[in-house]
């Protein structure tokens, strides 16, 4: 078996806020294999973004990784120096954010921003970096790339900007791409185009991709494997097909029944009654118990541990262990 | 190309609005000069006006004509450069202003250069060290800087550097002996430049020494304000998504802060610079009095004390024009920094 390109092990993240400590991630563990698309799914606030940011060590100042480790290509990312981290950011791992209109600097041209990154990591000359940027822009299906290269972000539409962002994210021979809800802020008509483009390029360039989304429908079409997060914990993990055919956690089932119809926008999984607890660390027992339709007395007292149904499918639900969820 | 056209159009539009603002200003000064006073002619002549003089001046100023006609006449005179005659000196007001303007301009420019440079540098450093002792020190200093009155600070500096340490001159633009030993040949009226043009190094040193205290006094307020603004906008900008993107793509921290973030932060700061410049213009009047600086400020105070009505109106109009031009300049520089501006 191949080694994973990224291995996150027992990751705990805390936020120190004026209202006390929030345990935002509690023991998240997953592997991402080279060249695969790995989905991270969950409702808003469950910790998807901070999981992605922690890989790049870009967490907000108030956040602290209190436990666990993150290994990328065998290197412990939490131990290396700031300098080494900088060469990995944008050099080996790249990221695409949710809102393309705010993730590019409004006062500099697309070309300037791409050129700078390419020169930083590939050590190209200015001219060669420009060539490279133009090639990448063209690869994302943008027309008239020379004009786009010299454009400022406000002169492009959201879809064009996100394509430019993808071009940037793949411009330096990266081996891992983290896409944090790359289509949520876009017009519904171009969401699927962008996703398709990402998959095409991902396959052509052979990069691994972490696709963060609250939309299980997107994951179903794109991902090889996925993890379902709830309140900062892994509730189910495994091969997409296996999870879709046979979900082994009541939360996953709730998400599946809440898959937004294709084309609808932003519907943040309101089908499961109740809300994500603000500080899940304070709860005893299973974090999902307060919202679970199948709750048992045991769920309120003990925390369920990961139960492996097969080599590549696991769930943290007592029912999955007993094998009578359905 | 498209961009440049938009930019040109925007600048043209701004120029046009400036012209309208200036026209509006002349209407206001006209009203204050000719309409508001119950007897403008008497005011124009001064306190010792005799009835026959008043009658003569009423005719002279056209005060017997309808208001629109009076305004047109006033505008024609203003455009011709005839801004009236000073009551106390009996010289044309515009000439009086022109002869004093270089001294004020020189002081103002020096002070603003100091204020902008220190304000931005200190603001950036303060933001970088947010919450550390350096930042706390800067913030405390800037509060002092905005709250201490200029004349008081000027006096304090005089006591310290002239009386106690005796390393800087008390007041004036140059040493009085210099007129005989190394007289400055006046070409521009701005002594720093004149001394350099004519390679009068002795005078240059003297001019610089005289400049330090008044310039620092005048710079204190704008520098503090600019520092506070720069600090705030730097912090604000650095929490933006696009700065996170720059970090996520491994750009150098120094590049992110001093090139990317600073350019984003400079735009709001520039607006503050425009505003403080207007403040500094009035602030320079106090500073000029404290430092016996022969500029417009001294002239203004004297005109006020003498109720020299035409001179006061002239200064008002002149200051207003300066203010409009500064704001126009700030706006033009803004378009050059921020490509989005010409669109709104
Ligand atoms: N700056 C912050 N300060 C305090 N707590 C935070 C901060 N950012 C995130 N959190 C906490 O971390 C949790 C996870 O946040 P995160 O942004 O990762 O959620 P998400 O799954 O990406 O949600 P969304 O779908 O809305 O993007 C939040 O519920 C919140 O409690
Ligand atoms: Mg998020």
């Amino acid at each position: 078996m191949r080694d994973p390109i990224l291995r996150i092990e027992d990751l705990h993240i805390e936020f120190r806020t004026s209202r006390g400590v929030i345990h935002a991630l509690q023991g998240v563990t997953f592997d991402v294999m080279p060249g695969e698309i790995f989905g991270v799914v969950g409702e808003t606030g469950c910790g998807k973004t901070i999981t992605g940011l922690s890989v790049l060590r870009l967490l907000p100042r108030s956040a602290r990784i209190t436990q666990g480790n993150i290994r990328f290509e065998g290197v412990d990312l939490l131990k290396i120096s700031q300098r080494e981290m900088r060469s990995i950011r944008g050099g080996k791992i790249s990221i695409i954010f949710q809102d393309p209109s705010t993730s590019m600097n409004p006062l500099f041209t697309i070309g300037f921003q791409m050129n700078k990154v390419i020169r930083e990591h590939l050590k190209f000359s200015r001219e060669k970096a420009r060539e490279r940027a133009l090639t990448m822009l063209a690869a994302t299906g943008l027309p008239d790339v020379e004009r786009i290269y010299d454009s400022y972000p406000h002169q492009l539409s959201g879809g064009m900007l996100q394509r430019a962002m993808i071009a940037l994210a793949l411009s330096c021979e990266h081996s891992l791409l983290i896409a944090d809800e790359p289509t949520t802020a876009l017009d519904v008509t171009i969401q699927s185009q962008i996703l398709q483009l990402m998959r095409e390029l991902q396959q052509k360039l052979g990069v691994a991709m972490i696709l963060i989304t609250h939309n299980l429908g997107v994951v179903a079409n794109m991902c090889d494997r996925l993890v379902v997060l709830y309140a900062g914990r892994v509730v189910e993990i495994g091969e997409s097909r296996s999870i879709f055919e046979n979900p082994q956690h009541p939360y996953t089932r709730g998400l599946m029944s809440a898959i937004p119809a294709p084309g609808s926008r932003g519907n943040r999984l309101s089908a499961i009654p109740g809300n994500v607890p603000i500080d899940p660390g304070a709860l005893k027992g299973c974090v999902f118990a307060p919202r679970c339709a199948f709750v048992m007395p045991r769920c309120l007292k003990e925390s369920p541990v990961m139960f492996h149904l097969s080599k590549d499918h696991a769930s943290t639900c007592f029912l999955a262990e007993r094998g009578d969820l359905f | 190309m498209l961009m440049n056209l938009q930019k040109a159009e925007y600048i043209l539009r701004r120029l046009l609005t400036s012209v309208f603002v200036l026209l509006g200003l002349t209407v206001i000064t006209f009203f204050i000069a000719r309409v508001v006073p119950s007897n403008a002619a008497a005011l124009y002549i001064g306190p010792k006006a005799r009835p026959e003089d008043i009658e003569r001046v009423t005719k002279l100023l056209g005060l017997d004509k309808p208001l629109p006609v009076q305004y047109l006449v006033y505008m024609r005179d203003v455009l011709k450069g005839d801004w009236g005659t000073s009551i106390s000196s009996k010289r044309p007001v515009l000439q009086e202003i022109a002869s004093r303007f270089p001294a004020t301009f020189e002081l103002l420019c020096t002070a603003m250069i100091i204020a902008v440079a220190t304000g931005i540098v200190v603001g950036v450093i303060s933001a970088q060290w947010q919450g550390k002792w350096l930042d706390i020190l800067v913030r405390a200093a800037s509060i002092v800087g905005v709250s201490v009155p200029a004349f008081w600070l000027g006096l304090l500096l005089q006591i310290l550097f002239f009386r106690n340490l005796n390393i800087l001159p008390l007041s004036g633009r140059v040493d009085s002996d210099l007129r005989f030993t190394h007289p400055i040949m006046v070409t521009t009226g701005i002594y720093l430049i004149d001394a350099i043009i004519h390679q009068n190094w002795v005078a240059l040193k003297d001019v610089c020494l005289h400049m330090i205290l008044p310039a620092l006094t005048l710079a204190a307020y704008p520098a503090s304000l600019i520092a506070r603004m720069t600090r705030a906008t730097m912090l604000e900008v650095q929490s933006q998504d696009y700065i996170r993107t720059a970090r996520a793509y491994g750009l150098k921290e120094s590049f992110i802060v001093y090139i990317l973030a600073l350019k984003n932060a400079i735009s709001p700061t520039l607006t503050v610079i425009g505003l403080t410049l207007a403040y500094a213009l009035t602030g320079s009047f106090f500073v000029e009095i404290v430092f016996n600086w022969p500029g417009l400020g001294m002239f203004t105070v004297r005109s006020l004390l003498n109720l020299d009505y035409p001179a006061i109106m002239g200064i008002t109009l002149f200051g207003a024009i300066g203010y409009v031009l500064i704001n126009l300049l700030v706006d033009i520089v803004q378009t050059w920094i921020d490509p989005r501006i010409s669109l709104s």
Side-chain angles (χ1 to χ4, degrees):
Chain A
M1 204 183 127
R2 291 174 305 169
D3 283 335
I5 186 166
L6 180 76
R7 162 163 277 176
I8 295 182
E9 254 173 337
D10 195 27
L11 190 65
H12 287 69
I13 296 176
E14 289 179 7
F15 279 91
R16 270 145 227 239
T17 66
S18 49
R19 284 181 294 144
V21 177
I22 292 177
H23 304 268
L25 278 199
Q26 296 189 67
V28 167
T29 302
F30 62 81
D31 290 347
V32 179
M33 292 297 169
E36 77 169 343
I37 302 185
F38 185 83
V40 176
V41 197
E43 281 171 294
T44 180
C46 68
K48 305 180 300 286
T49 296
I50 57 171
T51 305
L53 289 180
S54 65
V55 173
L56 286 167
R57 285 194 0 206
L58 282 175
L59 289 171
R61 277 188 193 187
S62 55
R64 199 114 311 146
I65 294 179
T66 50
Q67 202 179 314
N69 58 60
I70 303 173
R71 299 182 83 77
F72 171 73
E73 294 182 342
V75 180
D76 189 340
L77 292 184
L78 302 182
K79 297 248 162 64
I80 60 177
S81 72
Q82 198 60 34
R83 218 189 130 93
E84 289 167 298
M85 194 63 224
R86 202 161 64 71
S87 77
I88 286 178
R89 287 181 191 152
K92 293 236 170 87
I93 306 176
S94 59
I95 188 162
I96 299 174
F97 297 107
Q98 176 169 339
D99 189 351
S101 64
T102 57
S103 45
M104 287 256 191
N105 196 316
L107 303 192
F108 297 87
T109 61
I110 308 290
F112 178 90
Q113 301 184 50
M114 290 184 76
N115 200 296
K116 191 73 198 168
V117 171
I118 294 170
R119 274 188 291 150
E120 177 73 37
H121 296 294
L122 299 182
K123 312 290 175 214
F124 279 5
S125 69
R126 196 178 293 262
E127 202 33 54
K128 222 172 138 210
R130 186 187 134 91
E131 299 272 290
R132 173 94 194 174
L134 291 176
T135 314
M136 287 315 299
L137 286 171
T140 62
L142 283 168
D144 204 358
V145 287
E146 305 242 346
R147 190 177 62 80
I148 287 177
Y149 186 87
D150 289 322
S151 298
Y152 289 92
H154 74 270
Q155 296 170 307
L156 304 183
S157 70
M160 290 165 97
L161 263 183
Q162 199 62 307
R163 280 173 199 266
M165 218 31 227
I166 292 168
L168 173 66
L170 295 171
S171 60
C172 297
E173 294 157 0
H174 305 96
S175 44
L176 177 63
L177 169 62
I178 301 170
D180 189 351
E181 314 222 12
T183 58
T184 318
L186 299 179
D187 219 63
V188 282
T189 50
I190 45 177
Q191 289 189 355
S192 61
Q193 286 175 27
I194 294 285
L195 286 171
Q196 202 177 337
L197 168 73
M198 288 178 66
R199 183 160 51 183
E200 263 169 38
L201 289 175
Q202 179 266 341
Q203 264 160 19
K204 204 162 97 189
L205 302 172
V207 298
M209 180 160 109
I210 296 179
L211 181 64
I212 296 174
T213 175
H214 62 270
N215 185 340
L216 253 184
V218 167
V219 172
N221 295 330
M222 300 263 300
C223 299
D224 304 301
R225 288 165 58 249
L226 66 94
V227 62
V228 181
L229 297 185
Y230 180 75
R233 295 176 202 218
V234 174
V235 295
E236 188 160 3
I237 183 167
E239 250 170 49
S240 309
R241 187 147 11 97
S242 174
I243 291 179
F244 275 98
E245 282 166 5
N246 184 19
Q248 285 300 313
H249 198 285
Y251 180 63
T252 317
R253 284 182 63 186
L255 287 185
M256 281 172 65
S257 61
I259 290 177
S264 81
R265 179 177 184 161
N267 174 5
R268 295 213 159 213
L269 308 168
S270 47
I272 309 170
N275 289 309
V276 183
I278 305 262
D279 183 14
L283 289 176
K284 234 179 98 191
C286 172
V287 277
F288 189 59
R291 292 171 73 188
C292 185
F294 305 90
V295 63
M296 307 176 292
R298 185 185 178 190
C299 304
L300 300 170
K301 289 186 226 117
E302 290 171 53
S303 291
V305 288
M306 190 67 80
F307 174 71
H308 287 264
L309 295 123
S310 68
K311 191 170 74 50
D312 210 4
H313 190 167
S315 153
T316 52
C317 180
F318 293 123
L319 290 171
E321 196 174 4
R322 280 187 1 204
D324 55 3
L325 187 57
F326 292 96
Chain B
M1 186 56 215
L2 190 75
M3 208 51 203
N4 288 338
L5 260 174
Q6 274 174 351
K7 215 174 253 184
E9 192 197 310
Y10 171 78
I11 291 174
L12 207 71
R13 258 204 332 260
R14 273 301 280 114
L15 266 171
L16 272 175
T17 25
S18 297
V19 169
F20 278 112
V21 171
L22 282 176
L23 274 177
L25 276 167
T26 56
V27 172
I28 293 170
T29 50
F30 164 74
F31 265 80
I32 298 172
R34 303 280 169 87
V35 183
V36 176
S38 57
N39 195 339
L43 257 176
Y44 204 85
I45 307 167
K48 287 181 216 135
R50 288 169 305 171
E52 55 266 39
D53 292 335
I54 292 177
E55 203 171 303
R56 191 168 48 79
V57 168
T58 305
K59 273 232 163 54
L60 188 78
L61 292 178
L63 290 175
D64 45 350
K65 299 211 177 68
L67 273 184
V69 178
Q70 284 190 46
Y71 174 70
L72 286 179
V73 172
Y74 172 79
M75 269 309 290
R76 190 197 62 202
D77 290 348
V78 165
L79 286 177
K80 268 196 338 207
D82 176 6
W83 289 23
T85 309
S86 159
I87 296 168
S88 41
S89 74
K90 305 284 181 270
R91 283 171 53 191
V93 168
L94 196 59
Q95 198 178 318
E96 291 275 16
I97 291 174
S99 72
R100 287 173 173 82
F101 176 63
T104 298
F105 184 74
E106 183 173 26
L107 177 61
L108 206 59
C109 284
T110 314
M112 280 315 283
I113 289 170
I114 294 173
V116 170
T118 52
I120 289 179
V121 169
V122 164
V124 169
I125 292 173
S126 183
Q128 285 321 98
W129 294 76
Q130 185 195 8
K132 306 271 162 44
W133 65 266
L134 193 66
D135 176 39
I136 293 166
L137 194 79
V138 166
R139 275 155 69 196
S142 69
I143 289 173
V144 174
V146 290
S147 38
V148 164
F151 69 88
W152 189 79
L153 181 64
L155 290 172
L156 200 74
L157 290 176
Q158 284 177 329
I159 291 171
L160 190 64
F161 289 98
F162 174 71
R163 208 189 63 190
N164 291 359
L165 299 172
N166 200 16
I167 47 174
L168 288 173
L170 177 67
S171 62
R173 280 182 94 185
V174 288
D175 211 87
S176 48
D177 293 346
L178 201 79
R179 288 186 214 292
F180 307 108
T181 56
H182 297 87
I184 294 175
M185 304 229 292
V186 175
T187 308
T188 60
I190 297 161
Y191 284 1
L192 283 171
I193 294 177
D194 286 341
I196 292 171
I197 293 176
H198 300 291
Q199 303 185 359
N200 189 346
W201 308 127
V202 179
L204 183 64
K205 185 179 167 221
D206 189 62
V207 169
C208 284
L209 288 178
H210 278 81
M211 183 62 85
I212 294 173
L213 291 187
L216 285 182
T217 307
L218 191 53
Y221 180 86
S224 307
L225 217 58
I226 293 168
R228 288 163 71 92
M229 191 66 194
T230 307
R231 177 184 181 275
T233 48
M234 277 302 277
L235 288 177
E236 149 87 26
V237 162
Q238 288 192 61
S239 70
Q240 296 292 314
D241 282 357
Y242 49 79
I243 294 297
R244 184 176 65 179
T245 306
R247 290 218 166 88
Y249 279 85
L251 298 183
K252 282 200 188 69
E253 195 59 25
S254 55
F255 179 80
I256 293 173
V257 174
Y258 300 112
I259 308 287
L260 300 181
L262 189 57
K263 187 169 181 188
N264 288 286
I266 215 84
S267 193
T269 306
L270 207 64
T271 312
V272 170
I273 293 176
L275 291 174
T276 55
L277 229 163
Y279 165 86
L281 198 68
T282 42
S284 70
F285 292 0
F286 297 102
V287 176
E288 286 185 8
I289 294 158
V290 172
F291 288 95
N292 200 18
W293 195 266
L296 280 177
M298 298 257 288
F299 178 62
T300 308
V301 173
R302 221 181 50 216
S303 307
L304 283 170
L305 292 178
N306 293 341
L307 287 178
D308 190 341
Y309 213 69
I312 296 165
M313 293 323 304
I315 292 163
T316 308
L317 189 59
F318 187 81
I321 292 172
Y323 186 69
V324 170
L325 288 183
I326 287 165
N327 275 304
L328 182 66
L329 191 74
V330 167
D331 280 357
I332 290 175
V333 175
Q334 294 274 33
T335 67
W336 178 60
I337 292 177
D338 191 339
R340 291 166 301 179
I341 280 181
S342 48
L343 292 175
S344 52

